[in-house]
Amino acid sequence: LNEALRWIQERHGKDNVIAAIIHRDEKTPHLSAYVVPKDPDTGRLNCRRFLGGAKALNEMQTDFARVVGRPVGLERGIEGSKATHTKLKTYYGALERDAPEHKSLTPADLEPQVLKKGIFTRVVEDPEQVAKRISQTVQQHYEPAVQSATVARTATKRAKEDRESLKQLQSRLEPLVKALRDIPTQYREKVIEGCVKLAQQLRQKLQDQAVEAQRERAREIGRNRSRENSRGRGR
């Protein structure tokens, strides 16, 4: 998280990062940063320079993975991936749904169906339409099985990733655990309490800095308006 903040500051300018706060309300702690997209060449606000278009976002993600992710053992997501998120309703529905039985096609299913019937004429399916209809029928029948298989693969992959994350976390915490183990029992609670207080102080400091930055921004806007009004009266 510290390296992520440093990356943001170097990319946008330290003075333009008005707040950076760590959130722990989800399984994975994450950093939220509030940045003024000030163009260093023009001095104007220019969000497009930093985030405009798929190419810029792709390059930003790649650079972040190289500078911040790689040194701590994280891998970049697949570039250009077409993967989509599974909705919770679909996910749990697939878990609870029984596997479908095999579907058997009958000769009648292969016969072209009548699409339109008149008094003296009728329109029937051509071979391409027959193939499309049968394919859709089979796909709809086996869709639950496909979703269940996808859920199983996702769960297996996630379990593997969780195990690797746990190993990394255990490895990183080992020095801290060892240090706490060497501290006499009667002092451990005080050490932990001190760490918690320090974290709270740092969080409060960040919040205070964010508030002060907003106030300064408001004062700067007020000064600019005063100068514009003065110039207007002078004319």
Side-chain angles (χ1 to χ4, degrees):
L1 293 172
N2 288 333
E3 291 301 317
L5 178 58
R6 185 176 293 110
W7 180 84
I8 294 172
Q9 292 173 338
E10 291 178 355
R11 180 179 174 83
H12 293 277
K14 189 173 182 180
D15 293 339
N16 294 327
V17 182
I18 62 173
I21 304 170
I22 297 174
H23 295 279
R24 303 182 185 274
D25 57 334
E26 297 179 4
K27 181 178 179 181
T28 303
H30 52 282
L31 178 73
S32 292
Y34 298 87
V35 182
V36 178
K38 185 178 179 180
D39 191 325
D41 296 330
T42 64
R44 298 176 177 272
L45 298 182
N46 186 2
C47 186
R48 183 176 293 275
R49 176 188 174 99
F50 299 98
L51 304 175
K55 182 179 179 181
L57 290 174
N58 184 282
E59 292 175 350
M60 181 180 69
Q61 293 170 349
T62 299
D63 186 66
F64 182 86
R66 178 181 61 83
V67 177
V68 181
R70 187 180 301 171
V72 294
L74 299 178
E75 295 182 1
R76 190 202 188 288
I78 299 174
E79 295 190 46
S81 172
K82 303 300 181 182
T84 57
H85 294 286
T86 302
K87 294 182 179 180
L88 287 176
K89 184 177 180 180
T90 304
Y91 180 88
Y92 288 111
L95 288 178
E96 297 174 356
R97 191 181 295 114
D98 294 333
E101 299 179 355
H102 288 293
K103 182 174 181 61
S104 299
L105 297 176
T106 65
D109 293 326
L110 304 178
E111 290 290 332
Q113 294 184 358
V114 178
L115 300 176
K116 185 177 181 181
K117 189 175 182 180
I119 299 176
F120 301 106
T121 61
R122 66 175 185 169
V123 179
V124 298
E125 294 177 323
D126 58 29
E128 184 178 347
Q129 290 173 318
V130 173
K132 183 177 181 180
R133 171 173 55 82
I134 293 175
S135 296
Q136 290 177 343
T137 301
V138 173
Q139 289 173 1
Q140 290 174 0
H141 181 78
Y142 286 106
E143 180 63 21
V146 174
Q147 290 183 358
S148 296
T150 301
V151 169
R153 287 197 303 270
T154 301
T156 301
K157 180 181 178 181
R158 189 165 298 167
K160 182 179 179 181
E161 292 174 349
D162 288 343
R163 287 195 297 270
E164 291 298 324
S165 298
L166 180 59
K167 289 181 181 179
Q168 293 181 8
L169 182 59
Q170 289 174 334
S171 176
R172 294 176 184 177
L173 288 179
E174 183 58 32
L176 178 59
V177 173
K178 183 178 179 181
L180 288 175
R181 190 183 302 124
D182 295 336
I183 297 176
T185 305
Q186 63 269 29
Y187 298 124
R188 288 181 189 174
E189 290 186 2
K190 292 184 178 180
V191 172
I192 295 174
E193 182 180 350
C195 291
V196 171
K197 286 184 177 180
L198 179 60
Q200 292 174 341
Q201 291 172 357
L202 291 174
R203 183 183 305 168
Q204 184 62 46
K205 183 178 179 180
L206 282 174
Q207 293 175 343
D208 293 342
Q209 289 176 346
V211 171
E212 181 58 31
Q214 292 174 346
R215 290 175 178 171
E216 179 58 30
R217 178 60 178 167
R219 289 194 290 268
E220 180 64 23
I221 293 174
R223 288 193 291 268
N224 290 337
R225 288 177 178 173
S226 297
R227 285 194 291 268
E228 291 175 358
N229 292 335
S230 297
R231 287 196 294 268
R233 288 193 294 270
R235 288 195 296 270

